[in-house]
Every structure is written in C-alpha cells, then in structure tokens.
Amino acid sequence: MADLPKPTEAELEILQILWEKEPCTVRQVNEVLSQKKKTGYTTTLKFMQIMLEKGLLKREEAGRSHIYSSAVAEADTQQRLLDRFVNQVFKGSASKLVMQALGNKKSSKDELEQIRKLLDEIDNADNE
C-alpha cells in the first residue's frame, strides 16, 4: 500500500466516484464526471487505464464491458494524502493544520461537538 502512487486530482475524482458507486463501467464514471465538467469518454477511459496500470483500480470483464472498482480503500488513500500534506505544508504538525482549518472556516456547532468528542477520546486514551 505504501508504495502505491499518489493519485492525481483527476484520478482522485474517479476514485471518489468509484468509492461511492462501485463497481462501474467507464461510461457510468464518465456520466458522473460530465455532470461536473465536460469530459470525453475516451479521456475517462484513458485515465482509468492508467489507473489500472498504476494499481489504483481493478477491472473485470463482463461480456463486452469492463467493470472497474477501486483497488485502494478510501480511508487508506485519505490517510496517505493527509500524511503527505501535513508533512509537506505544516512540517508534520497536526496542530498547525487544525488551527489553520478552524481559523479559516466557520465551524457548525455539530462539527465543533464532534471535534471536542474526538479530543476527549484521544485525551482519555492517552491517560489510560
């Protein structure tokens, strides 16, 4: 898992579609992508073929169609991307990331409550 390449922005968009709707054909992925921005079928196909070669996707043949699914878990990918981002942008400091995120966005009461709950859980685990 650690040696999988970091997905590009376009590849991440495709992965997000697959994580939500998989398995999918190229046409199904392209229909969702095209709702956001005009994307040609052959462009989507090429990206998915590259992602297959990189090990980001799996493919099964179903008659004349190819059915794709993700080969990487959403949570694992998010963790790898977040770790890299925190290390590159915040010099490995999670607290700097959190302070920046909370300082730039108005958080809802529900979001703040979830953050407090997580902090309490971390604090309790550290005290055990």
Side-chain angles (χ1 to χ4, degrees), residues 30-128:
N30 188 66
E31 286 172 3
V32 175
L33 282 175
S34 293
Q35 292 173 0
K36 299 175 187 177
K37 62 183 176 188
K38 187 171 170 49
T39 305
Y41 175 86
T42 55
T43 301
T44 303
L45 173 62
K46 186 64 178 169
F47 271 109
M48 291 177 74
Q49 289 171 334
I50 291 168
M51 292 171 72
L52 180 68
E53 291 171 11
K54 286 179 165 183
L56 295 171
L57 297 183
K58 298 182 280 187
R59 179 177 71 193
E60 293 182 27
E61 292 188 31
R64 293 178 52 192
S65 296
H66 290 154
I67 308 297
Y68 290 85
S69 57
S70 62
V72 292
E74 182 176 16
D76 293 341
T77 302
Q78 289 170 339
Q79 187 64 53
R80 281 190 3 257
L81 292 173
L82 180 62
D83 288 346
R84 184 174 177 169
F85 179 74
V86 169
N87 286 330
Q88 288 181 337
V89 178
F90 295 97
K91 298 180 184 174
S93 173
S95 64
K96 286 182 180 180
L97 168 68
V98 170
M99 298 298 284
Q100 185 73 27
L102 290 175
N104 286 344
K105 180 180 178 270
K106 180 89 171 146
S107 298
S108 69
K109 284 187 177 191
D110 185 48
E111 289 172 324
L112 290 173
E113 186 57 39
Q114 289 175 10
I115 292 167
R116 282 187 190 96
K117 182 179 177 186
L118 177 61
L119 291 172
D120 288 343
E121 289 172 4
I122 292 170
D123 193 37
N124 289 337
D126 287 346
N127 290 330
E128 291 178 359

Side-chain angles (χ1 to χ4, degrees), residues 10-23:
E11 292 170 344
L12 194 52
E13 285 183 85
I14 291 169
L15 282 171
Q16 288 171 337
I17 293 166
L18 287 170
W19 288 326
E20 184 179 329
K21 301 179 181 293
E22 69 188 336

